[in-house]
Amino acid sequence: GLGKGGGVKGAGLAAAAVCASALLCLSPMEISAGPTPLILDDARSFSTVAREKLDSNLQDFETETGYKVRVITRDGRRQDKAEAMGARNIKALWGLPDPKAVVVIVQAGNGNVLGFNSGDEVNKLLPSRFFEELKGRLGNVYTVAEDGEAGVVQEAVSAIEVCLRKGGCQVVPGVGKDQYYATLTCSSFAGVIFGTTFLFTTPPPKAKGKSGNVWKFYPLLTMPLWGTFLLLGVNPLFQRAADPTLIAQNFGAFFAIAVVVKLVGPLVRYPNLDREE
């Protein structure tokens, strides 16, 4: 399972069932004599070069950290039962279950192709929310269409390795495109609110000496509002150790939009007043 509690246990059992199903649908050619394969590509998601490169990476990672990452791909639309009979010893081949193992499962043709089965030691470092976010971000049809099944697996494995190396993660490092656009929208909206508050501090052009009232503190008084949106715009990026360029872009959007609103706002608010002294 991936965590504690009834619902999570159910999800863990489901993942285990998927894993077992995947294991039983592999062809004997995948487990032929020779070095133990770390990738069982029944769905033919990988090119030979990509599979060999990932296999080498998984071996190096296991040697370095002691954690085992294994990959299974299967295509539910193509099952040869005659070939599937030879795969019943796959758990013994990989030494599963193992508390320090993670199995990445690809169900080609599904709406979301990714699934995970992880041991108890891994679960202490990577909670169920980590795997759910990883599945939602990378396993959806749009990401698979853009990056391919092999690319999705490589990204998932990379995220798992990064987090196991650093001693665990509560969330997946980095941000997806949809997540980033959401944070950028929040930062921009914070800038609109912040810039708009200055309209209340700007007196009519001929009303000299009347700006020294309580309204000059209006940006400070509305800080809980624009501050909340700004926090939503940058905090997720800090939490996920996002590229500093993205963080700078969000802060830049906030200040740029605030300045534009501050400069253009008075022209809109007092369009018919003569500003000449």
Side-chain angles (χ1 to χ4, degrees), residues 122 165 195 260:
V122 174
R165 278 193 177 102
V260 169

Side-chain angles (χ1 to χ4, degrees), residues 197-205 211 215-216 262 266 269-270 275:
T197 60
F198 280 98
L199 298 182
F200 294 93
T201 70
T202 306
S211 61
W215 294 108
K216 69 181 180 181
K262 172 64 171 68
R269 189 180 182 192
Y270 310 114
R275 295 178 180 273

Side-chain angles (χ1 to χ4, degrees), residues 158-205:
S158 177
I160 291 170
E161 290 180 345
V162 166
C163 285
L164 289 178
R165 278 193 177 102
K166 66 188 293 188
C169 294
Q170 294 300 308
V171 295
V172 179
V175 292
K177 291 181 179 179
D178 291 342
Q179 287 177 309
Y180 175 66
Y181 291 141
T183 62
L184 181 61
T185 299
C186 288
S187 298
S188 301
F189 192 55
V192 171
I193 298 173
F194 185 64
T196 301
T197 60
F198 280 98
L199 298 182
F200 294 93
T201 70
T202 306

